[in-house]
Amino acid sequence: MHIVHLALQGCLRGSDIEYGITADTGGHIRYLLELVEASEQDPAIERITLVTRAFKCEFSKVDYTCPVEVISPKITLVRLPTDNPDYLAKEALWQELPSFITAFEQWLAHLPRLPDALHAHYADAGEVAAEIGARHGIAFVFTAHSLGRCKLKCLADGQSSLDAETQQTLQRRIAFEERAIRDATLIIASSRDEAEVQYADYLHYDTGRIRVIPPGSHLEDFTRATSTPAVDAMMRPFLQDLDKPVLLAIARPVTRKNLAALVTAYGQSKALQQCANLVVVAGVRDQIDALEPELADNLHELLTLIDDYNLYGHVAYPKHHAPDDIPALYAWARERGGVFINPALNEPFGLTLLEASAAGLPLIATDSGGPSDIIEQCGNGVLINPRHTDAIIHQALDLFQNPERWQRMAANGREAVKAYDWQRHAEYYHDLLARLSQPEQPPLQPQALLICDIDNTLTGSPDGIRAFTRWYEAQPTLGFGVATGRSFHSALSILEQAGIPYPQVIISSVGSEIYYRTANGVTYQQDTAWSARIDCRWQKEAVAQALSDMPELTPQGPLEQRRHKLSYFSDGDPTLMARIQAHLKKCGLAATVIQSHERYVDVLPVEASKGQAVEYVRQRLEIDRQSLYAAGDSGNDLDMLRSVPCSIAVANHCDGLLDGPDMAHVYTARACHAQGIIEGVQHFQQRRKMGGVA
Ligand SMILES: O=c1ccn([C@@H]2O[C@H](COP(=O)(O)OP(=O)(O)O[C@H]3O[C@H](CO)[C@@H](O)[C@H](O)[C@H]3O)[C@@H](O)[C@H]2O)c(=O)[nH]1
Ligand SMILES: O=P(O)(O)OC[C@H]1O[C@](O)(CO)[C@@H](O)[C@@H]1O
């Protein structure tokens, strides 16, 4: 397979990246280089080409006009010239897109055959890929890295109005993104937040074409790192007490990274100054005023704040560092009981959080964007509102003054971050690309359909999953779907992690959303008729308002709240469901209320539940009632198992699932988890063969 990656911005080269030398030389470059390094390990990948723009510049000694750079035997970097030969910031690149497209077409014309996959990084490359894709009928993959609508929102939040030029630049970028999102065959997001919140602001948002594949990080570099004399030398000119704990930030000095708020918070708190130094690694520079205006303005602001708060001797802001110094910087902070902070107004994902976690530092991070996913997964930090300096102060003091909490978070992070692995990313990514390059399959028309709950039904036993996968492969006429309380992306992630085949149908968010796998075998299409059907009597805001009167209900995190689902934690009181129903009735509202695993309460439109969604899918796929199997284990499976004649409760079922008189038809498997599903389906198949009534 030949994969072509398009990435136009910043100073891209094969090694020794000058991170932060321009506003656009940052995370997308690290992401891309580490992705291709993992990608080339796969023998199925014959060739990888990175295509970028050639430019001249005065700020670096590197030759960024060199047309071809061989990075490894499989990976080549190609620089294409455009009309303007000079370095241009991403905001000005749009002018060069027509000439870049022409140069790219000429380059493509010299290839023996078109690439198997085209992958565009960031809005501008997305525009090129959409144009080339349309002209040549090439499918493409899009990764935004950062989205204009989120940036617009977070910049606009802080000010009464944005200047006209910024508005115009962002609107132009958003138009490119809209086109890329509309035309891309597949979109790769790094986090659930990106997939479910950040992309959701776009007109052409289509969840089913997005896959969440978290990036990795060269963990070993950070886990093994120790501080070096170079880091000591970097800090010595700045800090009075080199041994104090450290509050460390590493980010390009752009407005979105909000480094000024960090220095302000530090300046406001004498207590924080007493217990820790502040280290801000904000790119590299020779002369501040020779940098791009945004970088220079932000650095001037930092220097002014340091001066205003008289922080000399307490804050370090080194001028230079090499890529190799970065792991040593985290290690230097760890050796001093440090904490890593990312106070960005919005962080689409946040590679620095992975790096800091691997290096053993607890995190304080913005509550806007990808960090919430990372911290939820790793349990190694706290989220803060980046506009509240008192929250930064409070959380930093708490971590510095509570060594047990520090230890626990540092240990959690080191362990959990192992899940962010480029090799795994590459395997998943290649599998998707390989499927996309195969001819499309005819639409699904199974003769029978098995719908399974995921958690503790399909999952729970790795041996069971292996047995299930083998067994399912030998059932050519049996369709397979899942019905889960998880969101669509959360469901796909757990299935991928567990090695379960991609289902043909995904009923997610407790039956309030339905997706069908499309003919390319990779992407999904949402059933909008189902959404419209359950929407008609649903008054989400009013229901949420009414339930806010019930103190025993605590809302679950923002990602669990969906257009047609409100989710809460509860104390598990068995009378709660009835009380919620009564309260809603009193308020003139109606909803389906579902309690599971005692703690969880989901409130849905009246027409939505797993059972009603399964019946809808059965009719839509024209499956005979006796050829539909459903398997589950807990409270939110109850109405599905109750209504499907061939239902299976796995042996590890809970929530008194089979207590009701209307559950007598349910087959109770002797085996737990996925083995129980196989046992149940075989039971019904056998019974059918013998002519019994199911
Ligand atoms: O002075 C600096 C500043 C940054 N870095 C490195 O540059 C990378 C920065 O990546 P990240 O923290 O992810 O931020 P961005 O540069 O803003 O990257 C964009 O692209 C990334 C990859 O998709 C996403 O994780 C980000 O959220 C998105 O803003 C990290 O490896 C840093 O260690 C340096 O080496 N030196
Ligand atoms: O917030 P913004 O301006 O979209 O910035 C994202 C920037 O981050 C990067 O990943 C930096 O490498 C670039 O894609 C882009 O220049």
Side-chain angles (χ1 to χ4, degrees):
M1 191 186 300
H2 178 198
I3 308 175
V4 170
H5 291 273
L6 277 171
L8 276 64
Q9 309 169 22
C11 303
L12 176 58
R13 63 197 294 230
S15 59
D16 295 325
I17 304 301
E18 303 172 284
Y19 286 107
I21 194 164
T22 69
D24 305 338
T25 309
H28 85 284
I29 291 183
R30 189 180 286 270
Y31 178 111
L32 180 55
L33 291 177
E34 293 188 0
L35 167 64
V36 296
E37 193 185 325
S39 226
E40 74 167 338
Q41 309 301 322
D42 182 345
I45 307 300
E46 290 140 352
R47 186 174 169 196
I48 301 170
T49 313
L50 313 185
V51 180
T52 192
R53 177 177 165 265
F55 58 83
K56 289 191 297 194
C57 66
E58 305 226 315
F59 53 75
S60 168
K61 294 178 189 69
V62 176
D63 178 10
Y64 290 105
T65 60
C66 174
V68 177
E69 193 181 318
V70 177
I71 299 179
S72 77
K74 277 190 193 176
I75 309 173
T76 309
L77 172 65
V78 171
R79 294 193 181 88
L80 300 177
T82 61
D83 289 345
N84 185 335
D86 296 328
Y87 180 79
L88 291 172
K90 64 175 181 293
E91 289 76 11
L93 271 185
W94 61 276
Q95 303 168 57
E96 299 306 292
L97 295 188
S99 55
F100 186 87
I101 289 170
T102 307
F104 185 48
E105 283 221 271
Q106 284 165 1
W107 179 79
L108 281 175
H110 283 99
L111 294 179
R113 61 182 178 86
L114 285 174
D116 300 288
L118 189 57
H119 188 156
H121 299 264
Y122 202 79
D124 37 34
E127 172 69 10
V128 174
E131 185 59 36
I132 293 286
R135 287 187 198 176
H136 297 273
I138 312 179
F140 74 95
V141 178
F142 178 56
T143 299
H145 294 281
S146 171
L147 284 160
R149 282 200 195 277
C150 299
K151 184 168 180 177
L152 182 61
K153 235 192 225 169
C154 80
L155 293 183
D157 267 2
Q159 301 175 24
S160 45
S161 67
L162 278 181
D163 65 83
E165 196 187 326
T166 309
Q167 290 259 18
Q168 197 189 18
T169 307
L170 281 168
Q171 290 304 346
R172 192 181 290 120
R173 165 178 166 187
I174 289 166
F176 290 162
E177 287 166 347
E178 283 289 6
R179 182 174 180 197
I181 290 168
R182 186 193 67 193
D183 294 355
T185 310
L186 177 69
I187 293 170
I188 295 183
S190 294
S191 67
R192 246 183 94 194
D193 185 87
E194 220 183 325
E196 295 178 359
V197 179
Q198 300 174 38
Y199 277 101
D201 275 347
Y202 284 77
L203 298 174
H204 299 292
Y205 175 62
D206 175 4
T207 320
R209 277 187 296 119
I210 304 181
R211 281 296 169 97
V212 178
I213 320 184
S217 145
H218 277 177
L219 291 178
E220 334 69 65
D221 293 353
F222 298 94
T223 314
R224 278 200 238 109
T226 50
S227 69
T228 56
V231 176
D232 283 331
M234 232 181 257
M235 300 302 161
R236 211 168 283 124
F238 294 100
L239 304 177
Q240 273 164 14
D241 179 355
L242 281 173
D243 296 326
K244 254 177 150 177
V246 178
L247 184 58
L248 171 69
I250 301 182
R252 294 169 292 119
V254 292
T255 308
R256 178 167 63 80
K257 298 291 182 178
N258 200 27
L259 293 171
L262 172 60
V263 179
T264 305
Y266 186 74
Q268 286 170 342
S269 171
K270 286 274 175 246
L272 195 50
Q273 292 163 34
Q274 262 158 21
C275 74
N277 287 320
L278 175 64
V279 173
V280 181
V281 178
V284 289
R285 59 188 180 270
D286 283 328
Q287 272 187 303
I288 292 183
D289 289 331
L291 296 171
E292 290 163 286
E294 184 181 6
L295 302 185
D297 289 352
N298 277 281
L299 286 167
H300 279 301
E301 191 181 3
L302 296 189
L303 298 189
T304 307
L305 286 165
I306 290 167
D307 196 73
D308 288 352
Y309 285 107
N310 202 6
L311 298 174
Y312 295 103
H314 300 286
V315 183
Y317 38 97
K319 268 180 89 136
H320 293 113
H321 64 271
D324 285 354
D325 295 327
I326 292 287
L329 272 157
Y330 289 110
W332 192 84
R334 179 193 62 230
E335 288 162 12
R336 285 158 182 76
V339 170
F340 183 76
I341 178 155
N342 179 330
L345 295 173
N346 172 267
E347 189 60 80
F349 180 71
L351 293 174
T352 50
L353 300 192
L354 302 187
E355 298 167 359
S357 306
L361 291 173
L363 312 176
I364 299 175
T366 175
D367 61 6
S368 170
S372 56
D373 276 38
I374 300 173
I375 287 182
E376 186 186 306
Q377 163 103 9
C378 299
N380 65 338
V382 283
L383 298 174
I384 42 113
N385 180 329
R387 295 185 195 277
H388 292 177
T389 50
D390 48 348
I392 296 178
I393 297 168
H394 170 74
Q395 292 298 347
L397 282 174
D398 194 66
L399 275 164
F400 286 123
Q401 290 166 353
N402 189 338
E404 272 167 32
R405 188 167 179 235
W406 189 98
Q407 288 290 356
R408 183 168 28 87
M409 287 191 168
N412 286 353
R414 267 184 185 263
E415 189 48 39
V417 77
K418 291 178 190 157
Y420 293 88
D421 176 30
W422 275 120
Q423 218 51 54
R424 228 179 82 191
H425 179 112
E427 277 166 27
Y428 190 7
Y429 169 64
H430 295 165
D431 178 53
L432 298 177
L433 293 185
R435 285 166 193 261
L436 286 177
S437 62
Q438 276 162 15
E440 304 220 330
Q441 306 292 313
L444 154 79
Q445 198 35 68
Q447 288 163 19
L449 182 64
L450 165 65
I451 303 278
C452 305
D453 165 60
I454 299 181
D455 292 83
N456 290 321
T457 303
L458 268 170
T459 64
S461 152
D463 283 346
I465 290 172
R466 275 189 287 277
F468 178 84
T469 306
R470 274 196 309 273
W471 169 81
Y472 176 65
E473 277 165 8
Q475 311 287 319
T477 57
L478 180 66
F480 164 54
V482 292
T484 175
R486 289 173 179 265
S487 72
F488 170 76
H489 288 289
S490 169
L492 274 179
S493 295
I494 181 100
L495 294 172
E496 189 270 328
Q497 276 167 35
I500 296 168
Y502 302 138
Q504 286 129 347
V505 183
I506 297 183
I507 296 172
S508 59
S509 302
V510 205
S512 60
E513 294 171 29
I514 300 175
Y515 298 84
Y516 305 98
R517 204 174 69 202
T518 63
N520 64 30
V522 169
T523 57
Y524 284 80
Q525 185 156 35
Q526 186 165 9
D527 191 324
T528 48
W530 174 250
S531 310
R533 173 161 156 174
I534 64 175
D535 195 54
C536 45
R537 285 192 292 148
W538 176 234
Q539 293 173 265
K540 180 181 170 187
E541 285 70 30
V543 171
Q545 179 61 39
L547 295 183
S548 66
D549 298 342
M550 298 186 72
E552 57 274 60
L553 291 176
T554 310
Q556 293 180 24
L559 286 180
E560 306 316 321
Q561 316 301 335
R562 311 280 304 168
R563 170 76 196 96
H564 294 117
K565 175 172 81 83
L566 288 162
S567 292
Y568 300 86
F569 295 115
S570 79
D571 56 5
D573 173 357
T575 66
L576 184 63
M577 265 164 67
R579 286 191 293 115
I580 295 175
Q581 290 287 18
H583 182 61
L584 289 177
K585 196 167 171 200
K586 207 170 79 199
C587 300
L589 297 164
T592 300
V593 182
I594 291 169
Q595 192 168 13
S596 52
H597 296 281
E598 295 186 351
R599 290 193 67 213
Y600 305 113
V601 174
D602 295 301
V603 183
L604 313 159
V606 181
E607 291 81 1
S609 66
K610 284 189 183 181
Q612 296 180 88
V614 167
E615 174 57 17
Y616 172 90
V617 168
R618 182 191 74 74
Q619 288 182 22
R620 193 177 148 164
L621 298 182
E622 297 174 0
I623 304 284
D624 176 66
R625 256 172 81 71
Q626 304 305 326
S627 304
L628 174 71
Y629 310 101
D633 74 310
S634 76
N636 74 14
D637 303 316
L638 205 139
D639 84 311
M640 169 172 82
L641 301 190
R642 185 190 289 132
S643 59
V644 174
C646 301
S647 274
I648 304 146
V650 290
N652 52 295
H653 64 85
C654 61
D655 291 339
L657 193 64
L658 304 180
D659 290 352
D662 45 3
M663 301 299 276
H665 64 286
V666 177
Y667 175 79
T668 313
R670 285 181 302 279
C672 292
H673 310 295
Q675 298 271 21
I677 304 174
I678 306 172
E679 180 193 321
V681 176
Q682 285 173 339
H683 161 82
F684 288 114
Q685 285 173 337
Q686 193 63 24
R687 208 156 90 170
R688 199 168 184 174
K689 237 187 248 160
M690 293 170 67
V693 183

